[in-house]
Amino acid sequence: MSRGRAADRLLALAVWVSVLAVAAVFFWILGSLLWSGMGRVTWAFLTTAPRDAGRAGGIGPILVSTLLILGVCMAVSLPLGLGAAVLLSEFAEAGSLFGRAVRRSLDVLAGVPSIVFGLFGTALFCQALGLGYSIFAGGLTLACMVLPILIRATEEGFRSAPSEYRRAAAALGMSRASALWHVLLPAAAPGLLVGLVLGMGRALAETAALLFTSGYVDRMPESLLDSARALSIHIYDLSMNVTGGDPNACATAVVLVALLLAVNGLAAWMTGRWLSRRVLPA
Amino acid sequence: MPRAFTLLGLLALAGCGAGVGTPNAKPATKADAAHAADGEKLEGKLVVTGSSTCAPLVAEIGKRFEQRHPGVRVDVQTGGSSRGVADPQTGIADLGMASRALKEDEARLVQAHTLALDGICVILNKANPVTELGDAQVAAIYTGKIGTWNEVGGSEAAITVVNKAEGRSTLELFLRYFELKSANVKASVVIGDNEQGLKTVAGNPDAIGYVSVGAAESAARSGAPIKLLPMNGVAATVENIRNGSFPLARPLNLVTLPNPTGLKKAFIEFALSKEVHDLIREQSFVPVE
């Protein structure tokens, strides 16, 4: 057997081992969560309010609050993110000082620890703007956190559209807006999807930024100006602050993971529909 | 194309509209018009912030209070005892929560209402052969003068010192009792909440930590491999906290500006009444008799 062959096999082995190691960690986490939490996830758990500091009862209001916070976050960050991405990729010159400055600051912002966003959100939304502890304040803080990721991924999506698209659209006399809507946006959809999935993942997993913005109240929210507890904060509180809260913390974690998968699936489906409208063949 | 627009529009509408329509949509942190007089209806919102030790208890009390007075909302937030003392003064909160007695300078500005008692005890892993530590030994371990368990009658292993993060009242109380300075504590692990301390010691046979007696008692009862060390020869039990013999105990306080009125007064009276003693016991604390 030649030396090259042996090296090839070694490489293949190394690649397989690393893939299996990564997959094993994922399945370990998922498996232990399901093992210790799945048994408690029932319809009643999903719909009833928590009792005895979360040790008993369900997570109904918390699930609703989480969806509302995510909704506010996405309703704000999606249009802003799309707009900023369009500006960066279509209107700013590729190497311009402005473009570079914006991109650099977005990259720095994307790396800022979430607790910093939490403090910023508390100071701006809760206190300066007088929103107090509320779903609004939490959602807006999350939007600040998610925006950099969303913008950069969507911008990459726009950039991946060949420049022939733009020229062809111009040659056909399409307005810039309609070229953007009919040609470029569908072409950029995969990038947008990546941004959405990463952004929503970060938003749903967030604890530090929400503790002092949307808060700790586990009552069913009556308006978007009510304080409301997110799933991640509920898990944190049950596992770190409430003695005997572990079983329900695991069950809540199972729900959070399932919600994340469902929301990602929904995003993929919606982007897929968008993709199917595209004028140009894939 | 219009469909996608409509969808975005709906999302945006859902975002803005829901807040405007409901009557409760006020960014109020102050308790709104409240009348505490007998028979009159209580209404408004109370924002309570502070100690994470108190938060689950006060949240439960708040829920029961809301049931009695359907027009009232009690919003409980966490952040630590220091916030519990500061927030009622700045107006961020109507009431604060502090799991320690007020300091002298604080007592001039705010008033404390003790709703329950809690004790702090030193805990070890069950596998550790050490059964008792003197105050001087605990202090020596926390300042790094004693580094291995065999110096206090245990194994050869190095001691893992679990300390609380700054701003936690458990830390302040512990330091004051053992006459330690925060800067002199040589900690191997720094933790935040009670439960985290229990887990760290349960998972490490060489660890030493200190947590709330109530939390430790109920964790030990539900099978966590920890043991509660006696303090000065007094066993660390909820019973000994109630009868006042346990040396390292602390009050759980609601904090207000002096002479609270209206809704605040009504809530404090409710939280200090016998009607919530079962809730206090459920959270492993000791009601004030």
Side-chain angles (χ1 to χ4, degrees):
Chain A
M1 192 166 61
S2 75
R3 229 168 151 189
R5 271 276 175 81
D8 277 354
R9 288 211 180 148
L10 204 64
L11 178 72
L13 187 73
V15 170
W16 273 105
V17 166
S18 39
V19 166
L20 285 179
V22 171
V25 170
F26 173 70
F27 283 111
W28 190 341
I29 294 176
L30 207 63
S32 74
L33 261 186
L34 288 175
W35 178 259
S36 44
M38 198 58 205
R40 289 178 157 256
V41 182
T42 56
W43 181 246
F45 182 75
L46 293 177
T47 49
T48 55
R51 280 182 293 112
D52 191 12
R55 292 182 195 99
I59 53 167
I62 296 161
L63 198 57
V64 173
S65 308
T66 309
L67 290 173
L68 286 175
I69 294 170
L70 188 68
V72 169
C73 165
M74 282 301 143
V76 172
S77 58
L78 205 58
L80 283 180
L82 261 181
V86 167
L87 173 89
L88 281 177
S89 64
E90 305 302 316
F91 291 89
E93 301 263 332
S96 72
L97 189 66
F98 171 73
R100 271 187 299 156
V102 173
R103 254 175 237 120
R104 177 62 57 83
S105 42
L106 284 176
D107 288 346
V108 171
L109 219 52
V112 168
S114 56
I115 186 70
V116 178
F117 281 103
L119 291 175
F120 166 76
T122 312
L124 178 66
F125 301 121
C126 299
Q127 288 168 18
L129 296 183
L131 290 173
Y133 290 96
S134 63
I135 293 174
F136 253 136
L140 291 173
T141 308
L142 284 189
C144 296
M145 253 178 74
V146 165
L147 266 175
I149 305 171
L150 196 61
I151 296 172
R152 291 295 266 144
T154 314
E155 188 203 345
E156 287 308 314
F158 276 114
R159 287 198 180 285
S160 69
S163 51
E164 282 82 24
Y165 285 17
R166 297 176 183 87
R167 282 190 220 121
L172 286 171
M174 284 170 91
S175 72
R176 214 159 179 188
S178 78
L180 203 61
W181 188 250
H182 289 287
V183 182
L184 293 173
L185 207 48
L192 180 67
L193 176 65
V194 169
L196 270 181
V197 167
L198 289 177
M200 287 194 292
R202 198 173 180 199
L204 275 178
E206 192 42 53
T207 315
L210 288 180
L211 193 51
F212 299 132
T213 51
S214 63
Y216 186 79
V217 175
D218 60 5
R219 184 193 315 122
M220 183 62 85
E222 286 156 355
S223 88
L224 290 184
L225 287 164
D226 273 358
S227 168
R229 192 188 289 201
L231 283 170
S232 52
I233 290 186
H234 193 57
I235 296 171
Y236 170 75
D237 193 57
L238 279 183
S239 66
M240 287 303 171
N241 195 35
V242 173
T243 322
D246 273 350
N248 270 356
C250 284
T252 313
V254 171
V255 175
L256 181 60
V257 171
L259 183 66
L260 191 64
L261 293 177
V263 164
N264 283 353
L266 187 71
W269 179 74
M270 276 167 61
T271 324
R273 282 183 52 123
W274 213 343
L275 219 55
S276 68
R277 297 188 298 107
R278 91 157 107 193
V279 180
L280 292 147
Chain B
M1 156 183 135
R3 214 175 291 154
F5 264 132
T6 328
L7 207 75
L8 275 177
L10 274 179
L11 265 175
L13 270 179
C16 314
V20 188
T22 39
N24 263 22
K26 270 174 279 177
T29 53
K30 288 269 162 219
D32 317 42
H35 310 283
D38 287 327
E40 252 182 296
K41 241 177 121 189
L42 283 173
E43 267 185 357
K45 183 160 131 183
L46 273 178
V47 176
V48 192
T49 65
S51 157
S52 62
T53 309
C54 303
L57 170 63
V58 178
E60 287 300 313
I61 295 177
K63 274 183 207 166
R64 189 169 285 179
F65 192 69
E66 286 173 2
Q67 278 173 8
R68 302 274 159 90
H69 308 280
V72 176
R73 291 287 171 268
V74 182
D75 281 8
V76 177
Q77 311 289 352
T78 62
S81 292
S82 307
R83 283 199 66 177
V85 174
D87 286 356
Q89 299 177 50
T90 54
I92 291 175
D94 301 302
L95 300 174
M97 300 174 285
S99 42
R100 57 170 169 76
L102 292 183
K103 294 168 189 165
E104 248 176 67
D105 52 330
E106 292 167 351
R108 260 177 260 133
L109 301 165
V110 290
Q111 191 179 353
H113 314 264
T114 304
L115 76 150
L117 294 171
D118 182 27
I120 296 170
C121 66
V122 173
I123 54 167
L124 300 180
N125 191 287
K126 228 176 192 165
N128 196 323
V130 176
T131 54
E132 181 148 19
L133 290 171
D135 287 358
Q137 285 175 317
V138 174
I141 288 173
Y142 268 86
T143 46
K145 286 182 197 115
I146 294 179
T148 53
W149 282 111
N150 56 13
E151 291 173 66
V152 289
S155 66
E156 298 278 303
I159 301 176
T160 305
V161 176
V162 182
N163 197 30
K164 280 251 182 174
E166 289 290 344
R168 298 276 169 185
S169 57
T170 326
L171 170 76
E172 288 174 31
L173 213 69
F174 180 83
L175 294 180
R176 197 171 329 138
Y177 179 81
F178 288 105
E179 291 172 357
L180 299 172
K181 274 201 185 124
S182 192
N184 299 335
V185 171
K186 305 264 185 302
S188 330
V189 186
V190 174
I191 51 135
D193 301 306
N194 271 322
E195 187 59 18
Q196 212 178 345
L198 288 168
K199 277 181 188 153
T200 313
V201 175
N204 183 344
D206 304 318
I208 180 171
Y210 54 94
V211 295
S212 143
V213 174
E217 225 180 27
S218 74
R221 213 180 305 127
S222 60
I226 54 158
K227 58 182 168 193
L228 291 68
L229 293 196
M231 240 352 136
N232 260 342
V234 183
T237 60
V238 164
E239 193 43 52
N240 284 341
I241 294 168
R242 183 175 300 123
N243 64 31
S245 63
F246 193 72
L248 192 41
R250 60 175 172 177
L252 301 184
N253 285 324
L254 283 173
V255 180
T256 57
L257 294 176
N259 307 318
T261 54
L263 185 55
K264 291 181 219 178
K265 183 165 171 241
F267 181 72
I268 291 168
E269 277 167 5
F270 181 73
L272 267 51
S273 72
K274 279 209 161 62
E275 288 180 79
V276 300
H277 280 187
D278 58 320
L279 295 177
I280 293 175
R281 285 198 195 92
E282 258 171 36
Q283 303 302 321
S284 316
F285 298 126
V286 183
V288 186
E289 299 294 340

